[in-house]
Each structure stands twice: as structure tokens, then as C-alpha cells.
Amino acid sequence: MNGPEIHLSVAPELHLFVAAARRGGPTPLTTDGASTLGHVVESLGIPLTEAGRLLVDGREVPVSHVPGAGERVEVHAARRPQEVPGAPLRFLLDVHLGTLARRLRLLGVDAAYFSEDVGDPALAAYSARDRRVLLSRDRGLLRRRELWAGAYVYSDRPKEQLDDVLTRFAPALAPWTRCVACNGDLADATKESVRGFLEDGTERSYDVFAQCTACERVYWNGAHHSSLQTIVDDALRTYGGGARPQQQAS
Ligand SMILES: [Zn+2]
């Protein structure tokens, strides 16, 4: 290319997306003189979902800005917590994030997830139609134009993934209000009303407290699964939210 040269610096949080040579201080970059800054950022490997403020000579500019010769460009990471205006905060997770989906649901966060790979176009279309933030570790998926909103998940470990999403979007937490299996809402239930769904030992030992309004899965009070309760306790301690008594999924 033979266009204007700019000086570009990339926030440390975004270094994983760019070539090693771009990870230090400002580096020169020759643009084509016509491309927007958004395009330049994407061409470096940074999904636009991950770019926060874009500064040119210290002033914030939109992604549509066309960089000119000599400009000092700073690419910052998405702000935390990040606002997602225009719809209630809810998520859609790609096929690789099933554990994260169940943990978000456990905390009462609306997290749609398909255990089968429905394909990138279908996921992106669902994000747009249902106004859900698509969570993925697939940079190509996050570049799809039709997405309502998206976010890269920075770790491949479920615990860190959960922390990542909770710090980034600060969703309201309401543990034990959503079905971990299907994302449906739980409704109060009595042992009598769900007797047909219970095995004998369960019926004798536990008090039913809720049933999924979508898939009819039954949830009960009782000997709780300590690893789930630990996830809930850790999240409430760190991120707040309405505490509920200890409960156990069936
Ligand atoms: Zn359910």
C-alpha cells in the first residue's frame, strides 16, 4: 500500500489479537487512505466488538473515521462494565460454551445455547432477531455484520469465562430462578404438583420448590451440589445480586 502513514497503539487487553510487533508502543501503519478506522482495526485482527474508545490525537472518533497521514491512533479495549442499550441484557452462546451457558443460567442470567452446531449464519441471525449478545471465542463469528452485539470470551476455562462475562456486562444476578438445562423460567411448585416427575427416593427426601415452565424439569431443596453452590456463593460475594436459599437442581 502506498497511502498515509499513521502511528497506532493497541491497548494491552487487545494484544492477543494482533501481531507481536504491534504489542509495544505506537507502531507505524500505512493505510490505503480510504478505509475507515473500523476497517483498519479489524484488519489488524481485532474484532470490533472488543474495541472500546478509538482516539485520534487524543480525541475520540467514530469507527467511520478515515485516518489521515501522521495521526496518532489509540485503540482501547471495550469498557467494563459495558452498556448494551436498546434491549434487555441477554446472551446467546456458541456451541463451544455450554458450561458457561449453564453457569450463567444458574445465576439467573438469560443465556440461550444450542448444544448442536447450528452454524454461524443461524447464530448471527438469532442474535439479531432476539437482540442477544453473542458470546464466542470465534473471531470470525464476531465479525459477522448481522450480529445484534457480540463479545469475545477471553479464556477457555469456565471459571474465568464466567468472571469475564460478569465483569464485562454486570448482569443482574438471581440464582436458582432459571432452568440450567433449557434457560426457561422456574416457577414455584409443590411436591404434590410434580409427584409424577419424581423418583421415589427424591420424593421421600426432599421438598420440591420449583419446576421449569418450559421443560418441566423439577428442582428441589436438599443436599445441594456443593460445586454449584460454590459458583453461586462466589458470584454473589463478588458481583452482588439477590441471594436465595441453597437449592439443588434435579
Ligand atoms: Zn427447563
Side-chain angles (χ1 to χ4, degrees):
M1 276 190 289
N2 213 2
E5 184 179 270
I6 63 175
H7 300 277
L8 181 107
S9 56
V10 175
E13 299 96 314
L14 303 176
H15 281 178
L16 76 158
F17 298 116
V18 301
R22 298 255 174 233
R23 294 174 188 169
T27 54
L29 175 70
T30 303
T31 74
D32 62 9
S35 293
T36 65
L37 187 51
H39 181 83
V40 170
V41 167
E42 281 197 323
S43 68
L44 292 168
I46 304 169
L48 275 184
T49 58
E50 303 314 295
R53 291 182 309 146
L54 303 172
L55 302 185
V56 168
D57 296 329
R59 284 187 306 115
E60 188 162 356
V61 298
V63 290
S64 57
H65 174 77
V66 177
E71 289 184 348
R72 287 182 300 109
V73 175
E74 299 168 40
V75 182
H76 290 262
R79 197 187 299 270
R80 287 177 187 249
Q82 176 180 348
E83 297 273 323
V84 183
L89 181 62
R90 51 192 179 188
F91 299 97
L92 169 64
L93 285 74
D94 84 13
V95 69
H96 303 293
L97 298 175
T99 301
L100 177 60
R102 286 188 294 276
R103 291 186 180 194
L104 287 169
R105 292 168 179 174
L106 178 68
L107 298 174
V109 178
D110 189 338
Y113 168 78
F114 303 103
S115 57
E116 293 172 13
D117 190 354
V118 298
D120 290 3
L123 270 185
Y126 185 50
S127 160
R129 190 174 60 246
D130 224 27
R131 296 190 168 186
R132 289 177 179 271
V133 179
L134 179 71
L135 302 178
S136 181
R137 288 179 47 74
D138 181 338
R139 300 168 202 191
L141 181 51
L142 293 175
R143 290 178 69 143
R144 297 193 74 93
R145 294 290 173 218
E146 62 268 45
L147 287 185
W148 156 251
Y152 185 77
V153 175
Y154 282 80
S155 174
D156 56 7
R157 298 196 185 117
K159 182 178 188 324
E160 294 170 1
Q161 291 175 340
L162 186 62
D163 286 336
D164 184 7
V165 174
L166 296 183
T167 58
R168 179 152 178 182
F169 293 100
L173 303 184
W176 311 108
T177 61
R178 188 173 291 278
C179 179
V180 295
C182 84
N183 199 41
D185 291 322
L186 300 186
D188 291 343
T190 62
K191 193 181 288 191
E192 288 67 37
S193 68
V194 298
R195 195 174 296 279
F197 297 92
L198 301 177
E199 299 184 6
D200 285 348
T202 305
E203 185 178 341
R204 277 195 301 275
S205 307
Y206 302 117
D207 289 323
V208 169
F209 84 97
Q211 185 174 26
C212 176
T213 57
C215 78
E216 301 187 321
R217 182 179 167 121
V218 175
Y219 292 77
W220 65 83
N221 294 326
H224 59 272
H225 194 302
S226 62
S227 65
L228 295 185
Q229 191 62 47
T230 299
I231 292 169
V232 169
D233 291 344
D234 286 351
L236 290 179
R237 187 165 52 246
T238 308
Y239 305 105
R244 283 277 185 118
Q246 293 180 348
Q247 314 286 7
Q248 154 80 33
S250 65

